[in-house]
Amino acid sequence: MSEIDEGLRSELQRQGIWVTSMQELYNWGRKNSIWPLQFGLACCAIEMIATAASRYDIARFGGEVFRPSPRQADLMIVAGTVTKKMAPQVVRLYNQMPDPKYVISMGACAISGGPFKTGYNVLKGIDRYIPVDVYIPGCPPRPEALLHAFMELQRKIDSQKLTGSEKATHLDSTQPSEFPVPSFGAHDLEPPANPDVFQPPKIERT
Amino acid sequence: MIGTGILKGMAVTARNFVGSYFEKDRLITVQYPEERTPLAENYRNFPFLIYDTDDAEAGLRCVACKICEKECPPQCIYIIKSEDKKPDYMGKPQFYPAVFDIDISVCMSCQICVEVCPFEAIKMDKVFELSRRERFDALLQRKRELSKSNTYYHSICPTEAAEVDAKLAEAAAKKKPTPPPAAGSAPAAEPTPAPVI
Ligand code: SF4
Ligand code: SF4
Ligand code: SF4
């Protein structure tokens, strides 16, 4: 179902028969019709809008259909500063998206808090609450950088498996597709990070 | 008259739409991975460290003075100064950074590190294709990745690099007659446009 021997495939191709597997067909369909959720949070969203406009034209990658409803979206582009006030809403929107769903964290703010990292009111990275597939550094990243991340996401989708122990998370019933929405505590969001999602490694300074 | 503005706007749209079938200039979509828009010379993204000569270790201009680390607004530079000294590209014994990390997941491309560096050791790069699937290790740039040659700097910012080279040559010529103390050499290369030093 999922793997075809490369030699056999090229042999068949020489005979005029083009074979594909269920997995390839499924991944091909998914990776070329990624509909982003239409929402922007700060200045990075301007670059996201530029990516959708005619010069960079994200439609060339099948991602032009920006959906205003999370129920119809596949991809959440977290473009901009996630304030602590906004973070529960972002997680709630993510929870409302149907599987399979992906997240691109665009810009320094969405990855780590960026310029506001030392501030008190900005979430230090959306990956504290939801799993992120691709990170784009930059303040703001160029539209080309967003396209580059989009292609990186397509490569990731292309390499996902339908079966086996390494199958895509949305096909794995043991993996959660919704994550707890943080609430406003006395001083910070409660909890400050979801330990199931956010496991920062220890950085070796060498 | 009411409506002329709309008509004018529609005419522009129509001219571009029809023209895009005949004129190459009106087809503005950049076919990104295959075709790129030329980057402006003063476009900048993330900092990198400059080294002279061919040796990335010995030629590194940075002397680990940690000014940039202190000034960086989001505090994304991390430096550990070396214990020993090594001769820099001019042959003077200097400290060097044993560790020099820039967390580009935090860096906001403000260029303040470049402005404060008295040794012209750190400059802004133009690489933007840095999307990664992992945030902590993949987006932390170490000294090895950050070190790039002066030739590379010339290739991305020719005007600015020539100015910097001229300034460094002038500073070197000025302090030739007197054997300078280690600290005295710094202000001569300062990027501020002070008339006399
Ligand atoms: S990363 Fe920079 S450009 Fe993007 S939202 Fe934050 S401050 Fe704005
Ligand atoms: S460009 Fe600004 S944010 Fe980035 S390392 Fe330099 S001082 Fe820090
Ligand atoms: S200010 Fe310049 S010389 Fe000093 S540590 Fe930073 S890069 Fe190195």
Side-chain angles (χ1 to χ4, degrees):
Chain A
M1 177 184 165
S2 50
E3 300 299 332
I4 302 173
D5 182 51
E6 278 303 317
L8 177 66
R9 188 208 303 256
S10 63
E11 181 59 36
L12 283 169
Q13 235 160 26
R14 262 200 295 280
Q15 309 291 333
I17 303 167
W18 186 74
V19 287
T20 185
S21 62
M22 196 61 200
Q23 176 178 305
E24 277 173 41
L25 196 64
Y26 181 78
N27 284 347
W28 172 79
R30 271 192 311 149
K31 82 171 190 198
N32 288 305
S33 62
I34 306 171
W35 291 4
L37 179 60
Q38 185 179 28
F39 91 117
L41 295 171
C43 10
C44 275
I46 305 295
E47 299 295 306
M48 180 178 75
I49 295 160
T51 317
S54 51
R55 184 173 291 277
Y56 298 103
D57 201 10
I58 204 169
R60 294 182 294 125
F61 302 89
E64 77 279 24
V65 196
F66 277 78
R67 301 316 299 185
S69 158
R71 302 284 183 206
Q72 302 161 347
D74 308 305
L75 166 67
M76 179 187 244
I77 303 176
V78 186
T81 320
V82 187
T83 56
K84 286 185 179 162
K85 199 86 179 170
M86 192 68 191
Q89 276 64 262
V90 176
V91 179
R92 195 168 286 130
L93 282 172
Y94 177 82
N95 288 347
Q96 288 173 353
M97 283 162 62
D99 271 328
K101 51 189 169 183
Y102 307 97
V103 178
I104 289 181
S105 180
M106 180 182 185
C109 286
I111 304 177
S112 65
F116 314 109
K117 192 173 171 54
T118 44
Y120 64 95
N121 63 339
V122 170
L123 185 69
K124 281 143 200 74
I126 192 61
D127 61 347
R128 278 162 193 254
Y129 295 114
I130 55 178
V132 175
D133 294 283
V134 181
Y135 299 88
I136 323 172
C139 179
R142 290 177 69 78
E144 285 107 320
L146 178 55
L147 292 180
H148 182 257
F150 207 81
M151 291 190 294
E152 181 70 29
L153 179 64
Q154 289 182 327
R155 275 193 288 276
K156 175 169 182 169
I157 294 173
D158 217 15
S159 65
Q160 282 181 333
K161 302 258 187 295
L162 294 192
T163 51
S165 57
E166 288 178 4
K167 63 183 167 190
T169 47
H170 68 275
L171 298 168
D172 191 347
S173 54
T174 59
Q175 297 280 346
S177 82
E178 292 187 9
F179 293 92
V181 178
S183 59
F184 301 120
H187 301 293
D188 198 356
L189 289 169
E190 293 285 345
N194 181 353
D196 294 337
V197 183
F198 186 65
Q199 292 137 349
K202 180 133 181 37
I203 298 290
E204 298 286 332
R205 300 287 189 176
T206 46
Chain B
M1 204 185 77
I2 296 172
T4 44
I6 292 181
L7 285 178
K8 248 185 230 160
M10 297 298 276
V12 170
T13 310
R15 203 162 49 240
N16 278 308
F17 174 64
V18 178
S20 70
Y21 285 93
F22 302 103
E23 284 173 57
K24 194 95 185 68
D25 289 352
R26 289 191 198 268
L27 265 180
I28 57 157
T29 303
V30 181
Q31 305 290 330
Y32 158 64
E34 295 87 27
E35 183 196 344
R36 279 141 204 273
T37 35
L39 295 171
E41 197 184 330
N42 53 5
Y43 170 69
R44 62 175 197 246
N45 210 7
F46 296 117
F48 71 99
L49 296 175
I50 294 198
Y51 64 85
D52 291 288
T53 65
D54 292 331
D55 191 343
E57 279 290 324
L60 209 63
R61 286 186 192 166
C62 176
V63 299
C65 68
K66 295 199 183 193
I67 296 176
C68 55
E69 186 191 39
K70 280 195 204 80
E71 294 288 335
C72 173
Q75 297 284 297
C76 65
I77 304 180
Y78 182 86
I79 300 170
I80 295 181
K81 199 181 197 163
S82 62
E83 303 280 316
D84 54 331
K85 290 189 176 188
K86 72 163 176 57
D88 66 356
Y89 66 103
M90 303 233 270
K92 198 147 52 71
Q94 293 275 26
F95 289 110
Y96 60 95
V99 172
F100 197 114
D101 294 343
I102 296 182
D103 190 351
I104 60 164
S105 74
V106 179
C107 173
M108 60 178 186
S109 314
C110 63
Q111 208 180 343
I112 287 177
C113 48
V114 176
E115 320 246 306
V116 297
C117 177
F119 298 93
E120 308 282 356
I122 189 166
K123 293 288 165 197
M124 297 306 273
D125 204 349
K126 291 186 202 276
V127 178
F128 59 82
E129 285 159 327
L130 292 158
S131 309
R132 298 286 182 272
R133 296 184 201 173
E134 203 272 335
R135 153 191 169 183
F136 291 99
D137 224 28
L139 292 183
L140 184 71
Q141 293 200 335
R142 316 279 179 154
K143 188 170 81 170
R144 203 168 358 91
E145 301 156 72
L146 288 170
S147 305
K148 292 182 184 170
S149 68
N150 198 18
T151 328
Y152 172 78
Y153 182 39
H154 272 276
S155 71
I156 57 167
C157 303
T159 323
E160 204 183 281
E163 278 170 23
V164 168
D165 274 5
K167 205 183 287 173
L168 288 179
E170 193 189 327
K174 210 174 262 176
K175 72 174 198 261
K176 268 262 165 61
T178 49
S185 65
E190 204 156 27
T192 45
V196 272
I197 289 166

